Amino acid sequence: MTVSGPGTQSPGPSPPGCSPVEQLRKEGNELFKCGDYEGALTAYTQALGLGATPQDQAILHRNRAACHLKLENYDKAETEASKAIEKDGGDVKALYRRSQALEKLGHLDQAVLDLQRCVSLEPKNKVFQEALRNIGSQIQEKVRYMSSTDAKVEQMFQILLDPEEKGTEKKQKASQNLVVLAREDAGAEKIFRSNGVQLLQRLLDTGETDLMLAALRTLVGICSEHQSRTVATLSVLGTRRVVSILGVEHQAVSLAACHLLQVMFDALKEGVKKGFRGKEGAIIVDPARELKVLISNLLELLTEVGVSGQGRDNALTLLIKVVPRKSPKDPSNSLTLWVIDQGLKKILEVGGSLQDPPGELTVTANSRMSASILLSKLFDDLKCDAERENFHRLCENYIKSWFEGQGLAGKLRAIQTVSCLLQGPCDAGNRALELSGVMESVIALCASEQEEEQLVAVEALIHAAGKAKRASFITANGVSLLKDLYKRSEKDSIRIRALVGLCKLGSAGGTDFSMKQFAEGSTLKLAKQCRKWLCNDQINAGTRRWAVEGLAYLTFDADVKEEFVEDGAALKALFQLSRSEERSVLFAVSSALVNCTNSYDYEEPDPKMVELAKYAKQHVPEQHPKDRPSFVRARVKKLLAAGVVSAMTCMVKSESPVLTNSCRELLSRVFLALVEEVEDRGTVVAQGGGKALLPLALEGTDVGQTKAAQALAKLTITSNPEMTFPGERIYEVVRPLVSLLHLSCSGLQNFEALMALTNLAGISERLRQKILKEKAVPMIEGYMFEEHDMIRRAATECMCNLAMSKEVQDLFEAQGNDRLKLLVLYSGEDDELLRRAAAGGLAMLTSMRPSLCSRIPQVTTHWLEILQALLLSPNQELQHRGAVVVLNMVEASRDITSTLMESEVLEILSVLAKGEESPVTRAATACLGKAMEYGLIQPNQDRE
């Protein structure tokens, strides 16, 4: 009996009077056999909706279970198989499929019951017997492991809680072992059932850093992907207690608590998605409620006095990760709306807090930026004007509450909050600037004699300068004020900020050479001063960050770019600052690098449109002579020599929320510019560029992911992928490359992705399986029909390498498709490289699947001409591939051999067999030898 496929009847045309349910089921069976599991699933689903009988429903549900098993949706496979069993308790296929799903889900005790039932129904079935033996040994191994860890867990806690063992090596080893044990699900379960959470609570209560870290890391293992254990842990420790650990002064403990809370959020959110059911199959309290309790405690932590600045930043980071929707496709933004109603004022309070002098709330240099990012994400997650209007109203009311009747301190707080909004949801920031007296207060405070007041006002002016609504007002009123501050202030902190404001206003023309705000040479002077401050390590990082902000604007000017890349000390200082704890500098560094490498989007204007614009006396943007490709290439090489890749790799590794999707996109653009030239790619790989590109290609804006994926493709084409992406990393490259095959991507991106996938497909079967799993084959087949020669050729080469996989061979062997015909016809094309790829695929397939040999004469009447042309080709490779195809056909069938020997192929093979020793002569000789075996030809008198 067969238990792998979905169908129960042989395929074929439906008999007259066949019901629609039967017809769809058979269609689904055919799709399943061809490997189109999604298509099969759709067919079975449609059949279920047509009023199928209980017996048909059982068959359709178990067939759906088979599809879900292939698609690795084990939860759904279990559900579908259970539905089939409900309809027919003796359905042995459904029982077997449910056991497979349960085994994959880790429910071995339930899987063994289904298998025992299968064996009782069909005692002689060897498949069932073997599966039962395998699962039995797995259960025994688990029991042995669990029993051996019982004593170990108890012993570890005894050592850790023994006051006499304080600071000993024994205690350190016990804590490490506990953490390692918790990483395995069985070990985590053992700790949990051994009263582990209460014991871990005692470790947390000791207040000792090492013990707290060990406890938090062990709790991560206990809660990871396990909803019911997460809820139980929160119940024992108390949500408030867990969240409060974030606020401790010790940075490592705060980060460990942040990681634990992230794991808890993931487990609870998965529970919400699955309808209160975790992988352990337990029905628990509504996880959505638990989620809100956790978020509510995080919001409370934001404004608690005594919480460390690092802890506040970690709380903001968690809120950024867990509150907004991951995708606009998710219909509900209820969590975002709830957080805005409950906590928007608390977030604004952090955003409006001053770091220096310290206020009631302790904040870091990154706190306001983190608050801006959270506000921006919350605002972007809103779906309608009414929701956005509510957001604006809450922000404006908060700012007014500080601005009116709170004196100078209140005004400063209000202006700082406006700055926070301008850096985040700028629409809300613009609205706040329009409030009565706000802009006038900013201008007035710029002239204050108090440094902290001036700093707040100047920063607000800088952030407002880039906003369209206020740009003309600030250009009219702010430039002279900023120039005055820059020239007269004795404090570098004020001068550097004033300079950035001037830089921002001076770069209003962007890359347009004909639109310059300042007199000739002024931009270069500003840039020189920025570089001077950047290189002055006596100035603190928070202030030097503003020098980078200035350069991010000034590097729109090509003269500034040229001087900047020539200044080795400035580049070194820039890269050092990007590695520092001053994370808010990341966007400015990325922007400056994008400008220097010209990796922003630029379209060459149509010459006819330019002439038309000149005739109409319209402004025509002009490119700077030093922005031509030769200058850009030279700048890229200087940046590579200065170590730009190492700096960018460190930036990508940053866990800070400042590494926003926009920032990721900028880094992706720079990486793509760095790998443009083939000779530079080795340097990028050597400095860790391949590793850094993977996360950029998997997360970020669509444009950023596409740019990073294209850079990965370029590296994969010209370097050894196993060296560029060592270990398991090579399998992560496949998905970004497949994403470049979508029709929305450019022809160049399609071509480079196909070339890269060709390289990967030739390495190992596991990589080919990964490509198949990402559903790349239909897209690759589509590009085999592409009009562009290079894309068509690349797709054919990729398919040739994929043909080494059984699943692809099955597709070619399946009845009713033209895949084989296309390869045969391409083997006769004029494009030599296309012929080589197609003939290679044909040689591979006819070797692996001899049944295809008999179908070659059926697909086209020109098959003999095509084979003869291959054998007569002056290209040795083509000749060899043609000879292998002919040899495979000769070995597969006497009838085909007879047809070949009656044609000119016999004469061609005879000539080839007499040539110098080579793979071609050996294949030709083997063909003639086989024909003699069949008795179709006789050796001549010389036995040749």
Side-chain angles (χ1 to χ4, degrees), residues 768-814:
R768 288 191 286 276
Q769 288 299 322
K770 179 68 175 170
I771 294 169
L772 292 173
K773 189 178 176 183
E774 294 295 336
K775 301 183 176 67
V777 171
M779 290 186 276
I780 295 167
E781 285 185 319
Y783 286 114
M784 288 176 72
F785 293 93
E786 175 67 42
E787 288 183 15
H788 196 289
D789 291 346
M790 291 173 72
I791 295 177
R792 185 169 69 239
R793 184 195 312 147
T796 308
E797 286 175 352
C798 191
M799 188 58 73
C800 173
N801 281 359
L802 286 171
M804 289 185 269
S805 287
K806 175 184 175 298
E807 289 81 358
V808 175
Q809 293 161 19
D810 289 342
L811 292 175
F812 276 89
E813 202 169 34

Side-chain angles (χ1 to χ4, degrees), residues 28 47 133 158 175 197 247 264 293 299 396 586 711 750 806 847 854:
R133 273 196 296 274
Q158 280 178 353
S175 65
V197 178
M264 287 177 159
V293 170
L299 291 170
E396 288 167 17
L586 295 183
N750 298 153
K806 175 184 175 298
S847 172
S854 59

Side-chain angles (χ1 to χ4, degrees), residues 419-445:
S419 284
C420 178
L421 287 169
L422 287 166
Q423 287 178 283
C426 56
D427 284 351
N430 271 325
R431 286 268 295 253
L433 279 176
E434 301 291 332
L435 292 173
S436 175
V438 172
M439 200 68 216
E440 290 76 10
S441 294
V442 170
I443 298 291
L445 284 169

Side-chain angles (χ1 to χ4, degrees), residues 352-378:
S353 295
L354 301 174
Q355 185 187 1
D356 193 28
E360 281 188 6
L361 301 184
T362 309
V363 291
T364 70
N366 300 316
S367 298
R368 191 173 71 193
M369 182 59 78
S370 295
S372 295
I373 291 163
L374 176 55
L375 289 166
S376 181
K377 285 188 174 287
L378 291 173

Side-chain angles (χ1 to χ4, degrees), residues 47-71:
L48 277 169
L50 295 176
T53 64
Q55 185 182 355
D56 281 339
Q57 285 179 27
I59 294 169
L60 290 166
H61 279 302
R62 81 171 182 222
N63 288 1
R64 279 169 59 81
C67 294
H68 283 306
L69 282 171
K70 289 288 187 183
L71 294 167

Side-chain angles (χ1 to χ4, degrees), residues 569-585:
L571 288 177
K572 185 179 177 183
L574 180 79
F575 299 153
Q576 282 177 344
L577 195 58
S578 71
R579 294 184 177 99
S580 72
E581 290 187 8
E582 182 62 45
R583 309 317 288 161
S584 52
V585 78

Side-chain angles (χ1 to χ4, degrees), residues 653-726:
K653 286 179 185 174
S654 170
E655 290 295 321
S656 170
V658 176
L659 189 68
T660 58
N661 287 342
S662 301
C663 190
R664 286 171 172 274
E665 181 185 317
L666 295 178
L667 291 170
S668 298
R669 288 175 179 276
V670 178
F671 267 121
L672 184 57
L674 296 178
V675 299
E676 192 62 43
E677 298 295 318
V678 174
E679 63 266 26
D680 294 334
R681 293 174 193 173
T683 306
V684 173
V685 171
Q687 294 182 17
K691 183 180 177 182
L693 276 166
L694 282 170
L696 293 175
L698 295 169
E699 186 183 346
T701 64
D702 290 341
V703 172
Q705 286 179 279
T706 302
K707 300 276 185 191
Q710 191 177 359
L712 283 172
K714 288 178 186 289
L715 293 179
T716 309
I717 292 167
T718 54
S719 60
N720 180 351
E722 291 175 290
M723 299 286 285
T724 307
F725 312 104

